[in-house]
Amino acid sequence: MTEPISSVKPPLLDVHDLKVEFDTYGGTVQAVRGVSFAVEAGKTLAIVGESGCGKSVTVQALMGLVPMPPGRLTSGTAELRGRNILGTSKIDGQDFRGSEIGMIFQDPMTSLNPTMTIGRQIAESLEVHRGWSRKKAMARAVELLEMARIPEAAQRAKQYPFEFSGGMLQRAMIAMAIACEPAILIADEPTTALDVTIQAQVLDLLGDLQRDHGTAIILITHDLGVVARMADEVAVMYAGQIVERGSVDDIFYRPAHPYTVGLRAAMPSNNPNAEHRLLPIDGSPPDLFSPPAGCAYAARCPHAMRICNSHEPAPFTVGPGHFGKCWLHHEKVPNGAQTILSAVEGTPAGDLVAAASQSAEEHS
């Protein structure tokens, strides 16, 4: 009797144990330390965390954009449709960069070529990856600008980046990223420095593109409001590692790591009647020249135990598709997981850290 064929589709992109280092005059910075995640077609994975945690370096490594030297890939694989794309040369990377994976860079004002018109920059990718003529590529560039909701697209295609506003530049970057209809779109903080109206327009545009073309999106951001609106799955990064990964509901309502609880407690409340005080996370991230032997968050954690300072926790399974890299989920820690979960259910956000701290202190 033959075994039934699994209906689970393999992910478009499967990243495993990615490690990136940078050689500097002060020593070696371990910027990304064993990151693993997968992205499925038509889904959005949000990678969140504070500045300097390794979000942008992670996706730049996937795109082959980490300068080497001083950068160096020391470990890992990234399989795109079964092909490992890590460490490919600049020439070999043209097979997937722009065509299979598109990227919206964090700052469009410095990412676009100031000496070329917007239309030419969009058309260039079509000429390189699709072999189109200049005339055909330029006509498509105008269509893409219209898709990106830029008014008078034919005229705007003849203009230079300095003639565009910040919001229009961001939409032009989106048009460029989707020119070759990539299967995966990386959006590195696409709403940074934009006002809320333009932010909403950019997010709506990304949502429409995903719905119409089944594009997988990797969203890099520190804005949890954007995450709640866009993401299907969330990976929380801290000090070059993913410390928690789960669905958007898991992350917001059933967080499995104290750092996630801290991020949530720092969110402003939409309820005007709620008594809510924003609580910062005390302390600073660890020095990645010499990362700590144990949990990287231990020095800032309000309920760290002795083992947290000496041994790095493994990713503990919290639920289906939900993982937390925290010793509180070890079976020998009394009420460890409940310490985190009870802090977010029916409790004002401002009280989350205090409740978690008191409960953990009793069991450590």
Side-chain angles (χ1 to χ4, degrees):
M1 180 177 178
T2 59
E3 296 183 0
I5 299 176
S6 174
S7 60
V8 179
K9 295 182 179 180
L12 280 176
L13 179 67
D14 191 358
V15 180
H16 178 69
D17 196 30
L18 174 63
K19 295 180 181 178
V20 183
E21 297 179 351
F22 290 91
D23 294 323
T24 71
Y25 291 110
T28 299
V29 179
Q30 299 179 37
V32 179
R33 305 187 297 137
V35 165
S36 300
F37 61 84
V39 187
E40 299 179 7
K43 300 294 185 180
T44 298
L45 169 70
I47 303 179
V48 304
E50 59 194 297
S51 297
C53 69
K55 306 185 299 294
S56 294
V57 174
T58 297
V59 295
Q60 287 170 4
L62 299 179
M63 294 291 286
L65 300 178
V66 173
M68 300 184 188
R72 183 172 65 248
L73 295 173
T74 61
S75 174
T77 59
E79 294 189 355
L80 174 63
R81 304 185 194 274
R83 170 197 173 192
N84 184 23
I85 61 175
L86 277 187
T88 53
S89 66
K90 185 176 181 180
I91 295 177
D92 292 339
Q94 290 183 356
D95 292 343
F96 69 88
R97 192 185 303 118
S99 57
E100 290 286 331
I101 306 179
M103 185 165 180
I104 305 168
F105 292 93
Q106 185 171 351
D107 186 0
M109 293 186 180
T110 59
S111 300
L112 293 170
N113 189 333
T115 68
M116 295 175 62
T117 64
I118 295 293
R120 279 295 306 132
Q121 294 186 62
I122 298 173
E124 186 178 45
S125 63
L126 292 166
E127 294 172 24
V128 171
H129 295 293
R130 295 289 185 262
W132 289 8
S133 66
R134 174 171 294 193
K135 182 178 180 180
K136 182 179 180 181
M138 281 298 297
R140 178 57 177 167
V142 173
E143 294 177 2
L144 289 165
L145 289 175
E146 290 174 345
M147 288 176 59
R149 302 172 187 170
I150 291 181
E152 300 178 353
Q155 181 62 32
R156 292 293 187 177
K158 301 175 184 177
Q159 294 181 332
Y160 291 85
F162 76 88
E163 298 178 270
F164 276 46
S165 67
M168 291 177 64
L169 282 174
Q170 194 65 279
R171 282 177 278 180
M173 285 287 297
I174 294 174
M176 186 182 303
I178 65 172
C180 296
E181 299 182 358
I184 301 173
L185 182 62
I186 298 174
D188 190 358
E189 301 200 22
T191 58
T192 297
L194 301 179
D195 62 64
V196 291
T197 302
I198 302 301
Q199 284 186 21
Q201 292 176 1
V202 170
L203 295 179
D204 287 343
L205 175 58
L206 291 176
D208 291 344
L209 292 171
Q210 185 175 56
R211 182 176 58 255
D212 295 342
H213 301 284
T215 308
I217 297 177
I218 301 177
L219 178 65
I220 310 297
T221 185
H222 58 266
D223 189 334
L224 295 184
V226 173
V227 172
R229 176 172 177 172
M230 292 287 296
D232 298 295
E233 187 177 10
V234 185
V236 181
M237 281 196 73
Y238 183 78
Q241 297 179 320
I242 292 179
V243 296
E244 183 172 1
R245 190 175 79 249
S247 69
V248 66
D249 286 341
D250 287 334
I251 298 303
F252 278 89
Y253 300 111
R254 296 176 293 276
H257 195 280
Y259 178 59
T260 310
V261 174
L263 291 177
R264 190 182 183 280
M267 285 181 62
S269 174
N270 290 327
N271 184 358
N273 299 319
E275 295 182 4
H276 176 44
R277 180 170 58 92
L278 300 183
L279 294 181
I281 300 176
D282 293 332
S284 301
D287 183 0
L288 293 184
F289 284 107
S290 181
C295 175
Y297 190 62
R300 306 173 74 185
C301 184
H303 44 251
M305 300 174 288
R306 286 190 296 271
I307 193 174
C308 300
N309 294 309
S310 57
H311 293 78
E312 183 178 331
F316 291 94
T317 300
V318 182
H322 189 194
F323 305 91
K325 199 172 185 181
C326 177
W327 283 116
L328 286 174
H329 295 284
H330 194 280
E331 59 183 6
K332 293 185 178 180
V333 178
N335 298 324
Q338 287 75 8
T339 294
I340 302 174
L341 296 178
S342 63
V344 295
E345 294 179 0
T347 307
D351 298 330
L352 296 182
V353 174
S357 175
Q358 180 181 358
S359 178
E361 198 171 45
E362 295 173 357
H363 300 299
S364 60

